[in-house]
Amino acid sequence: MNEKIKQTNSAPLNRVDVDTVTVDIIENALRNAREEMDAVLFRTAMSPGIREQGDCFPMIANKDGKMVVGQFGSFIHGFMDAFEGELEEGDIILTNDPYMTNAAVSHLPDWIVLVPVFKEGRHIAWSAMFGHMSDNGGMVPGSIPIKAETIFQEGIRIPPTKLYKKGVLQSDILELILHNVRTPQWNRFDLNALVASCKTAAKRCVEISERFGDDIFYSTMEIMLDRNKVAMEAIINMIVPEEPRTFEDYLCDDGVGKGPYKISCTMWRENGKAIFDFAGTDPQAKSSINFFLNEDMFKMFFGSFTINLVDPQILFNDGFYDLVDVRIPQGSLLKPNYPAALSGRTHALGRIFDVMGGLLGQSAPDAMNAAGFSDSPHLFFSGYDKKGEWFQLFQIGFGGIPGRPVGDGPDGHSLWPGFTNVPNEFVEAYFPLRIESYETIVDSGGAGLHRGGNGLSVAYRFLCDGSIAIHDDRWLTYPWGVNGGEPGQRSTKRLVKRNGESITLPAKCEGIEVSEGDLLYFDTWGGGGWGDPYQRPVESIMDDVRRGLVSEEGAKRYGVVIVDGAVDDTATTAMRAALTEARGEVQVFNRGGTIEEILARCEEETGLPAPVSPTFRENA
């Protein structure tokens, strides 16, 4: 990779000793620079998805492309492997193409900006940021078409391209790209914000290097990576067993009637390495739910997941990557063959975290979360308002976070911890709709010693005619409970027409015409419960009832009987004893039944037809 970097000062950077105080100062300066990247982006971007919701991922990497501080890890190697040519000071790269970057980015709406950082002609670091654009010119507004069968239907593909050459904007290239999207103004401002964010980080890196010296700056980055490797080595030895463990979960459907799709992973430790083998995962889908999972991307998911599980104070970076081996079958749902569609990869991306939780928890069930990092539901609403002006809403919904060893799961929270909701006032001010209710769904969290977080119900009243699309999952399979906890409630979507007709909508649908006055109930899933619900303190349940999170009827799932607003102690003791005996031995996982049982009950319980097993499973 470094041979593609043209330096006027090619003197090598040397590893030197750095005292602990200096390391801490530089580490905190880099952490602050990473936070400043977000601040710059949020204050200068235009689309609500980035400015309000925070759908972006920053990174500062060392000169070799390893992330030192950031959110989810480095994609630079895959990026640079696909780049033809030489990089010079002042160059800024833009791309969005998963296939041309070995899945450095996983679908076309995510645009990556990459800046090589130079100081006095010497390459010393990288800064990068990617953000989800409101539109990419695909076959539907928002450019995440459910029915796409190839990536060519998902919008403009940008190969690794010099957006700036030696500091000069390539205006013709930019205008060509923006000519192919529905929201050119938003995309232009968001792209400028990505560039400004990366340039800010580059400036901070140069300032640190000027203060302490190039060798100390370089060496401190290496020390930060080494610290992470030592910490992750201890974590891997602690939580990854030598004996193989396998876990399976399912995407409910592909949006075109087929499903469910299995994701299978086997994990074990061998010669100090954590091995993750996805053999047994179903082949790629015909529609856009495929998730091109870069092996390094999974490593960063694993690192982020385990560090937050074991000790969030550990600095997450790429130092541990050679301690993990990831094996993904070609042609599978997680490594589809070109030119398979990829835009709806959100469902599998979210499910990977549930799979990791199920894998890691088998060796230490008491430390395991339930399921609930299950998806990242999307709503699109577009059309022409009463002034004849085009509008286009893209919004990410929140669900219930799973019950955890340390307590209840948060209610109505994002899959991604850095995301925030778009304020209702903002949505109503800029789009022709009114949000009539925004509340958690009572009893939707799985019962447990620690309750799963409740899902979120948002009621959207449309103030003009338009078209909607919905992208969600966990409508068929349940967010599973663990250690005796019950599954969370599944997601539902219901459109109430202005004439009173109520229509149950599929979790994945597009091109749904809505009229002024129609009302959409967008209800997300609840998190699975953790631990024996019959052991949950009665006081906690009564507090949930008072707060409207659990109903008096729902309290019976915990074996608690409430009469006239007070607990009937005698009836509660008897009910808990009876339920405990009837349940029998506590199971580690409660999925709400086998996948065959869930499919058999599908239409009766959901009002939607069961997906048809894909041909590859019928013939297996």
Side-chain angles (χ1 to χ4, degrees):
M1 181 177 67
N2 288 328
E3 66 272 10
K4 295 183 178 181
I5 308 295
K6 183 178 181 180
Q7 304 180 89
T8 57
N9 178 1
S10 57
L13 293 168
N14 300 305
R15 182 78 181 255
V16 297
D17 292 333
V18 186
D19 65 87
T20 303
V21 173
T22 300
V23 171
D24 288 346
I25 292 172
I26 294 176
E27 177 180 322
N28 281 287
L30 288 169
R31 286 177 182 253
N32 288 337
R34 173 254 182 274
E35 296 295 335
E36 191 177 0
M37 293 177 75
D38 277 348
V40 169
L41 183 68
F42 299 156
R43 293 180 181 183
T44 55
M46 192 170 189
S47 72
I50 294 179
R51 186 176 78 180
E52 302 292 334
Q53 199 130 45
D55 192 353
C56 58
F57 298 94
M59 178 183 67
I60 299 173
N62 72 353
K63 71 178 186 66
D64 298 319
K66 292 183 178 181
M67 185 191 81
V68 178
V69 293
Q71 193 160 349
F72 272 117
S74 177
F75 38 71
I76 293 176
H77 283 93
F79 195 114
M80 288 301 296
D81 286 346
F83 180 71
E84 297 292 338
E86 198 172 48
L87 281 177
E88 301 180 71
E89 187 168 359
D91 289 350
I92 297 178
I93 304 298
L94 170 67
T95 190
N96 74 339
D97 194 320
Y99 288 112
M100 291 198 67
T101 58
N102 189 30
V105 61
S106 56
H107 70 170
L108 294 178
D110 288 337
W111 291 11
I112 295 179
V113 169
L114 177 64
V115 174
V117 181
F118 289 82
K119 174 178 172 288
E120 297 173 353
R122 175 193 270 179
H123 178 227
I124 62 169
W126 298 87
S127 66
M129 175 77 87
F130 77 78
H132 184 109
M133 294 292 160
S134 297
D135 194 84
N136 191 64
M139 60 190 285
V140 297
S143 306
I144 306 183
I146 293 168
K147 297 178 181 178
E149 297 185 3
T150 75
I151 198 168
F152 300 110
Q153 296 168 294
E154 297 176 334
I156 188 168
R157 297 169 60 215
I158 309 168
T161 300
K162 287 188 180 182
L163 181 65
Y164 286 77
K165 289 183 180 179
K166 298 182 181 180
V168 178
L169 173 65
Q170 305 303 291
S171 300
D172 53 348
I173 293 176
L174 177 59
E175 296 308 318
L176 173 63
I177 293 169
L178 296 179
H179 188 71
N180 283 277
V181 303
R182 294 177 180 84
T183 56
Q185 187 180 32
W186 280 5
N187 287 42
R188 183 189 303 275
F189 276 79
D190 289 353
L191 181 56
N192 286 341
L194 292 172
V195 170
S197 172
C198 291
K199 291 176 74 172
T200 298
K203 182 179 180 181
R204 298 295 176 253
C205 288
V206 170
E207 290 171 349
I208 295 169
S209 194
E210 286 175 341
R211 177 180 175 184
F212 293 98
D214 295 357
D215 287 343
I216 289 179
F217 178 66
Y218 163 74
S219 300
T220 299
M221 284 186 155
E222 295 297 302
I223 291 169
M224 292 167 66
L225 291 165
D226 291 344
R227 284 178 172 179
N228 173 267
K229 182 174 182 178
V230 170
M232 282 297 297
E233 187 171 26
I235 290 173
I236 287 170
N237 288 327
M238 178 174 62
I239 68 174
V240 179
E242 292 184 337
E243 180 183 351
R245 299 278 192 273
T246 298
F247 192 77
E248 297 175 351
D249 209 338
Y250 292 84
L251 296 190
C252 297
D253 73 311
D254 59 8
V256 293
K258 301 292 185 181
Y261 288 78
K262 181 173 66 176
I263 297 177
S264 178
C265 187
T266 300
M267 172 191 73
W268 71 96
R269 177 164 46 89
E270 182 179 315
N271 298 324
K273 281 191 173 185
I275 314 294
F276 293 88
D277 190 342
F278 285 90
T281 295
D282 279 338
Q284 68 191 64
K286 187 176 182 180
S287 74
S288 65
I289 63 166
N290 301 296
F291 176 32
F292 191 178
L293 178 58
N294 176 284
E295 286 80 0
D296 282 350
M297 183 180 291
F298 180 81
K299 292 177 184 180
M300 73 181 181
F301 289 166
F302 170 66
S304 178
F305 186 92
T306 54
I307 283 174
N308 280 285
L309 179 69
V310 176
D311 184 359
Q313 296 304 311
I314 297 171
L315 177 65
F316 171 59
N317 60 37
D318 290 354
F320 72 95
Y321 275 20
D322 59 357
L323 299 176
V324 182
D325 182 12
V326 183
R327 304 167 185 176
I328 306 173
Q330 188 67 44
S332 69
L333 187 76
L334 302 179
K335 187 173 279 191
N337 294 316
Y338 173 83
L342 304 173
S343 61
R345 58 58 165 136
T346 303
H347 315 296
L349 191 159
R351 199 57 48 80
I352 288 294
F353 287 91
D354 281 348
V355 170
M356 275 197 296
L359 273 174
L360 295 167
Q362 292 179 55
S363 298
D366 288 345
M368 173 170 50
N369 291 335
F373 299 101
S374 298
D375 199 5
S376 185
H378 294 359
L379 171 67
F380 298 87
F381 175 42
S382 60
Y384 291 93
D385 62 22
K386 293 181 178 179
K387 297 179 181 179
E389 296 178 354
W390 176 257
F391 66 87
Q392 187 171 315
L393 170 68
F394 158 63
Q395 190 163 18
I396 298 174
F398 296 166
I401 299 300
R404 304 163 294 166
V406 295
D408 298 343
D411 305 292
H413 203 285
S414 172
L415 160 71
W416 306 110
F419 279 16
T420 58
N421 67 305
V422 178
N424 293 342
E425 296 82 0
F426 180 96
V427 174
E428 292 178 339
Y430 286 92
F431 300 96
L433 52 76
R434 183 172 63 247
I435 296 174
E436 299 205 342
S437 64
Y438 190 98
E439 57 193 7
T440 60
I441 305 169
V442 64
D443 295 332
S444 58
L449 174 64
H450 299 152
R451 178 179 57 81
N454 281 341
L456 194 64
S457 177
V458 184
Y460 297 93
R461 178 77 69 180
F462 302 112
L463 303 182
C464 74
D465 298 349
S467 178
I468 64 171
I470 295 170
H471 297 241
D472 201 3
D473 209 68
R474 284 300 193 202
W475 68 273
L476 171 68
T477 63
Y478 294 87
W480 31 267
V482 298
N483 301 324
E486 294 183 0
Q489 180 177 296
R490 297 177 288 192
S491 65
T492 61
K493 307 294 180 287
R494 182 165 60 94
L495 180 65
V496 179
K497 304 294 287 184
R498 60 187 177 188
N499 64 4
E501 179 188 6
S502 181
I503 304 169
T504 299
L505 295 177
K508 301 176 186 69
C509 57
E510 59 193 6
I512 306 298
E513 299 300 322
V514 295
S515 302
E516 179 180 357
D518 290 353
L519 185 65
L520 172 68
Y521 287 95
F522 193 99
D523 293 357
T524 60
W525 69 94
W530 188 98
D532 187 349
Y534 313 136
Q535 298 297 318
R536 184 170 175 85
V538 172
E539 296 79 10
S540 298
I541 297 166
M542 287 302 295
D543 185 54
D544 288 338
V545 171
R546 284 189 292 269
R547 295 165 62 201
L549 301 173
V550 173
S551 68
E552 290 189 3
E553 184 65 25
K556 293 179 181 177
R557 297 187 302 155
Y558 300 85
V560 174
V561 179
I562 300 174
V563 179
D564 296 329
V567 175
D568 185 326
D569 292 328
T570 302
T572 292
T573 300
M575 177 176 275
R576 285 190 157 186
L579 289 172
T580 299
E581 182 179 359
R583 177 188 59 195
E585 184 180 353
V586 171
Q587 300 298 312
V588 176
F589 296 101
N590 184 344
R591 298 176 179 266
T594 66
I595 193 66
E596 291 79 14
E597 291 169 341
I598 291 171
L599 283 166
R601 306 191 309 257
C602 174
E603 190 157 3
E604 177 184 356
E605 294 180 348
T606 69
L608 296 169
V612 178
S613 294
T615 302
F616 53 77
R617 187 173 297 121
E618 293 173 347
N619 295 336

